[in-house]
Amino acid sequence: MGRTVTVATTQMTCSWDIEENLAKAEQNVRAAAAAGANIILLQELFEAPYFCQEQLAKHYALANPVEGNPLIERFARLAKELGVVLPISFFERAGNAYFNSLVVIDADGMTVGLYRKSHIPDGPGYQEKFYFSPGDTGFKPFDTSFGRIGVLICWDQWFPEAARCLALQGAELLFYPTAIGSEPPPAPPVSSYLHWQRVMAGHSGASMVPVIAANRMGREVFDASEIMFYGGSFITDETGRVVAQVTPWRGREGSLGRVLGDRAPRSWL
């Protein structure tokens, strides 16, 4: 007999008031759960502004280990209270290494999996290689109270093999927390939003698996860089058709091509 699972995606602006960010994220989760959602996706690194716009060692202080992580503990309590599954993105410190990571918290508040972002971008405004090592977890789906899910993070979405590996292992839904927006100079002033969305919809249609994407929104300004994050979070059905979407900020349409050099074949061979 078939199951019915309701998914929700979210988006929000972030400031340097960490508690305010967490409170907004919790409010979004509560609203989605009240509307009947079983699995609720928050955006990439929602605890703070997207600090990867600049290379400053002080931002390493934002990282925490998995064990005893206040962010994870807070949303584990929330997941248990509401009976929902929460994929939670965070900046992980693991010994002397740092990762852009995500834990999947099941509806009983227990963590059922950890994924570390495999593909790490490096370019104007998106200088993640200064902060994050390439992930070492590989692509593995996680069994939850509402089905087997696959989780990837932002830049991973440009690589079809990541989604395909998860689908071949039985993932029934694919979740992408993201932080994508305008491209600071010297990149051309174009919007990659539609290209970004089409690629994920392609993963969905090729593997017959719905995709859920949650994107950061709003303008974030640093000393030498600023990004207008698109928002435009969306959900597809299993054919890749967009069935729910928040209106994005797009700017001028275009596409960008700095993908192939970041492939991580060790994760999928």
Side-chain angles (χ1 to χ4, degrees):
M1 186 173 179
R3 293 171 296 129
T4 298
V5 175
T6 302
V7 298
T9 185
T10 65
Q11 62 185 43
M12 63 187 226
T13 59
C14 294
S15 72
W16 284 110
D17 186 333
I18 304 299
E19 178 52 38
E20 180 184 57
N21 297 335
L22 299 184
K24 284 198 292 186
E26 179 174 332
Q27 182 180 12
N28 286 340
V29 169
R30 290 186 179 279
N38 305 121
I39 309 176
I40 303 163
L41 184 62
L42 294 163
Q43 66 207 36
E44 180 184 20
L45 299 174
F46 63 86
E47 200 170 6
Y50 183 71
F51 53 88
C52 306
Q53 285 200 59
E54 58 186 5
Q55 296 185 13
L56 291 177
K58 69 178 183 179
H59 295 318
Y60 285 108
L62 295 167
N64 283 296
V66 175
E67 297 299 324
N69 188 314
L71 171 70
I72 296 173
E73 292 178 347
R74 175 174 181 160
F75 283 88
R77 291 192 297 270
L78 184 63
K80 183 177 182 180
E81 175 192 341
L82 300 176
V84 297
V85 172
L86 297 176
I88 296 295
S89 169
F90 70 106
F91 186 9
E92 181 190 4
R93 184 178 74 246
N96 292 324
Y98 293 81
F99 299 97
N100 186 337
S101 298
L102 180 151
V103 292
V104 176
I105 302 171
D106 207 355
D108 60 359
M110 300 300 293
T111 296
V112 296
L114 169 71
Y115 171 67
R116 291 169 172 160
K117 185 175 180 178
S118 297
H119 304 95
I120 310 298
D122 187 52
Y126 300 87
Q127 302 176 76
E128 294 195 14
K129 286 182 178 174
F130 182 81
Y131 297 100
F132 310 129
S133 296
D136 57 3
T137 55
F139 305 127
K140 304 294 182 185
F142 302 114
D143 291 318
T144 75
S145 299
F146 299 105
R148 175 170 288 190
I149 70 171
V151 293
L152 297 164
I153 301 173
C154 200
W155 197 245
D156 289 328
Q157 71 91 23
W158 296 107
F159 303 88
E161 57 271 17
R164 190 62 176 159
C165 283
L166 290 169
L168 289 172
Q169 294 176 83
E172 299 169 293
L173 300 159
L174 296 179
F175 291 84
Y176 290 89
T178 68
I180 185 171
S182 59
E183 300 286 335
V190 298
S191 169
S192 57
Y193 176 82
L194 289 177
H195 183 189
W196 169 81
Q197 185 185 70
R198 290 181 194 119
V199 168
M200 277 185 280
H203 303 333
S204 170
S207 293
M208 298 293 288
V209 176
V211 160
I212 301 91
N215 192 33
R216 183 179 291 257
M217 63 178 287
R219 187 180 302 278
E220 296 186 10
V221 180
F222 287 76
D223 288 342
S225 173
E226 67 176 70
I227 294 175
M228 174 64 84
F229 289 96
Y230 300 137
S233 301
F234 69 93
I235 298 169
T236 73
D237 66 12
E238 71 280 1
T239 71
R241 180 172 65 95
V242 175
V243 295
Q245 179 184 16
V246 182
T247 301
W249 176 86
R250 285 182 182 166
R252 183 162 64 87
E253 175 65 0
S255 62
L256 298 165
R258 58 170 197 246
V259 174
L260 294 179
D262 292 309
R263 287 195 184 277
R266 68 194 178 285
S267 297
W268 48 269
L269 285 179

